[in-house]
Structure formats: C-alpha cells, structure tokens
Amino acid sequence: MKLMPWITSLFFIHIMNANKTANSKPNFVLIMVDDLGIGDVGCYGNKTLRTPNIDRLASEGVKLTQHIAASPLCTPSRAAFMTGRYPIRSGKWHLGLNCKESGDFCHHPLNHGFEYFYGITMTNLRDCIPGHGSVFVTGATKYIRALFLTGVVTLVTCILLYHAGLLHIRREMLCYFILTNMLIFSAMAFFLWNFKYFNCFLMRNHKIIQQPLSFENLTQRMTKEAVNYITRNKETPFLLFVSYIQVHTALYASHTFRGQSQHGLYGDALEEVDWSIGKILDELEENHLQDKTLVYFTSDNGAHVEEISSSGEVQGGSNGIYKGGKSTSWEGGIRVPGLLRWPRVINAGIVIDELTSHMDIFPTIIKLAGSSLLHSRIIDGYDLMPLIQGRSVTSEHEFLFHYCNAYLNAVRWNQRNSNSVWKVLFFTPNFNPEGSSGCYDTHVCFCFGDFVTYHNPPLLFDLSKDPKEERPLTPQTEPNFDQILQIVQQATEKHKKTLQAVHNQLTWNNVIWKPWLQACCSSWLDFCYCDNDKELGMD
C-alpha cells in the first residue's frame, strides 16, 4: 500500500437542481488541510500558533470535538470524505492520472464530477523540493539497502557458482538473469533520481502548466484561483473544495511567512494557510455571500508525528493530548478538527461533543443542495444539520469502524443513553523506539506482520474517561467488559456483511511505474520541463 498519497488542489462544481430555484440553495466551501493535528488549532486549545481565521470559523459557527476521519491515511480518508462511504467499500487507496493510455485522465477530477481543477493529482513528497531529501530514503533506508544488497549478493553468488560448475544452467540463461536484474535496478534508480520531474507537476484542468512544480508562491496562486472562482460564480450556487498540502511533507512557506512562527517551518506553513483561509472568507463577505455559504474546515487525518527534516529537525504537528498520529487508529491518528460556519442558519459558538465523521459531509451537502442519495448504494455518513441546528441531541452514529489500510483495526461504540464512548482495538502498532509515540525507524507505522501487536482479548478504553488511551480496561476494572466486547463483535459482524469485494487497485500491475502512462508536458529529452504558471499570487 502506498503510505502517503493524497489529492491536493482546488475542485469546483456547480450545484444545480431543476426542482428548485438556484437562489434557494447555499454555496459550499470545503477546506481540508493535510496532516493538521487537532493540537495545532487554537480553538482546540493551542494558543501558540497564530490562526485567527481558523479560530474565527469556530467562534462564528460550530466546533465538533469528536470529529473522526474515516481513515488515518490521506487518500482513503479523502475518498470517504468525497463519497460518504468507508473507503474499504471502493478500494480507492491510490492517486494517479492515467489508466490505459497517456491522456485518458481516468483518475482526473474532471472525470469525476468536477468542472474546474487547479492543483496536483500525484503524491506530493519532500522529493519535490530540492534540498529536502527523499522520503523514500528517509522512510525506508534499511529496506532499500537490504533490497539492493540482496540483489547484488544474489547476482555475485550466481556468477561464482556458475564458474565453479555448481550452477548448471545455460550461459544464455545466466546472462538473461543478470541483464533482467540490471534493468530492474536501473529503472528503479532512474525513477527515484528523476522523481520530481515525473510526479511533481501542477495542472489546470487537463493541462500540465508547471513541471516540476515550483512551491514558491504556490499558496498565493491557489488562493487567487479560489477567490477568482468565487467572484465569477457569485450569482450561481457552487461548491469549492480547497485542499492545502503545506503542513505535509514537504513543508513549505513563501518568503513572506518563512521564519515568522515560533514553531519553525511547520508553524510558518500553517500560519500561511490561515492567511489564505482569511482571504477566502473576505471574498465571501465582499460578494455578500457569507450568509449563503456553508464553510467546513477539517484535516484529512491526524498529524504526522514522525515527520523529521533531512537535517534532523522535528517538523510534525501536534495531536494534543491524543496518542499516536497519522497511519494509526489511536485517537491522534483519526480525531481531527471539525468546524462549520453558516451565519443565520447555524448559531455561533456552539460546541458539539457528539460523534461525527468526515463521511457526514457528503450526505449533508446532498440534502442541502436539494438532491437525494442513491438507495442502491450504502452511505455510511449522516446529515449533520439536525445535530448542529439543535433539532437532535444525539449522533446517528452508534458505531464507527476504524480501518488501517484494508484491515479492520478498531471499533468505536457510542453507547446510547450513556456517557461512555467505548473503543476496542484489535491490534496496535509497535512504536519505535520503544516508549515513543510513533514509528520513527520506518517514518510511518505499518498495519501488518511484525509491525503490529494483536490483542486477545482486544484492548478496551472508555474515551469519555480516558481520552488519552492510557489505561486499558480489564474484567477486573470494568464489570461489563465481556458484554461490551460481545456487543462490539456483533456490530462488527453485521458491518462485515455489508461489504462487497472490490477490484484490488494495489496489485503489482497497478502500482508499478509505467513509462508509457507518464504525464509529460514537453518531451523526455527535455525531462518533461515546462513553466506556464507565471502568476505571482496575491499581496
């Protein structure tokens, strides 16, 4: 499974319905920040990072304190956010652009309902910024070395055994074996060495306008695209999805914000994001759209606590009091900020402690847009409006199922008529070094094999009393221990029966690099170089 894929960009779509007049439906501005920890948002308790515009959303709207990502990893989390369904239902883990031939754009947002796109469709990694090192080397140095050494040792051993007469194969077969391995290693080296030229590019609609991607003034350029779209479409209901990559590897901030925060480059990046959000909110007000627009703010998953620069500087965000981080189903990996603002419709300053999910945004928007959900598809999210308008005091989510990759990792039970929120974990990652809160040796925690510890019986926590997940309950400390596990197990079996097998998009044939599908704005001889995005952004 790819560890850190995501989509980051601006997505735009008009909201139309023939049964209602356009003026009766709201606009939607959806804001998602990559790998933003709940401990980094001032309205959730941290006062050292300057985020006045994010705080403003909280003070003028609703703050969700138990808002849960459907996955602790970027792409499956975003897939759930955009579909209202657990990502396991679609198997959508990867990013990409083309499927069968160059230019078919099968994964492009314009092929999935959006009318305008500005951003990147591929994975953004520190490899995209010169001088920031390589996530491939940083995250898996010993594995890459082991693979390389294994290949070299295998080749040398075969050659020696052949010349010693102990390996009885034809010389042509030995040459073919050596040549094949040399080609494989050469292709791997070529791809990694030229990664930023191949996978770091900026698109406007179907056209690549900058390759490799330049990060300087990228936030300003994205912000300008967003505010211009609002102005162009102020007379027609629209949906704008703004996805920020700035607080994910590779961290970056423009020269205006660089060196201004107390929290290094991470703080610089987040404060620049906050500036951008302020510009978008200002544009809504200038066009008198603030009372007609539902604004939603969140993060795709918890902060990446293992994020360390190539120079050794700790650059990951903060998950506050919560354990673990990105890629784990501990609270630090899945509890994310959730803010909604809609003046005159949603009362200001409300705090909701009930269980909510990323998956709730999809059905909420569908209902407000005057459309309806397809009955032929299971939707796991619920309309949030009754809860945030006070027409309901209880979340419709009784159970939430937490996946780590394709593995069911944990279950949350929001027990009715009780203050308890039970959480059961079937396995947990092995943190390294031992006693830390992350998997620093591998740069991110994995979900299988020797990387995890399975628990029998599963770990049980009452999050209402132990949100830090420090004290697992036992039959001695919780009288209803066995009954709780039994109810959770029954809910799990019921959930599993609703799942259907989907196409595995992570076969070797799907994930291996295919040069003939490579997006390229010029030619291979020019290393796919182009720069047609000359805008300098906003003041």
Side-chain angles (χ1 to χ4, degrees), residues 12-46:
F12 310 87
I13 187 169
H14 282 304
I15 307 298
M16 295 295 184
N17 188 300
N19 298 323
K20 293 189 177 183
T21 63
N23 291 332
S24 67
K25 296 189 290 294
N27 307 306
F28 303 95
V29 175
L30 312 178
I31 300 171
M32 181 174 282
V33 184
D34 211 305
D35 289 7
L36 174 65
I38 196 169
D40 294 315
V41 183
C43 56
Y44 282 89
N46 188 341

Side-chain angles (χ1 to χ4, degrees), residues 75-112:
T75 299
S77 172
R78 291 162 184 266
F81 166 71
M82 290 199 213
T83 62
R85 293 157 54 89
Y86 286 108
I88 193 68
R89 297 196 188 282
S90 60
K92 204 293 185 183
W93 306 108
H94 70 293
L95 288 180
L97 190 60
N98 302 310
C99 286
K100 296 181 179 179
E101 60 184 30
S102 179
D104 64 25
F105 301 111
C106 68
H107 297 305
H108 195 283
L110 297 190
N111 278 12
H112 296 275

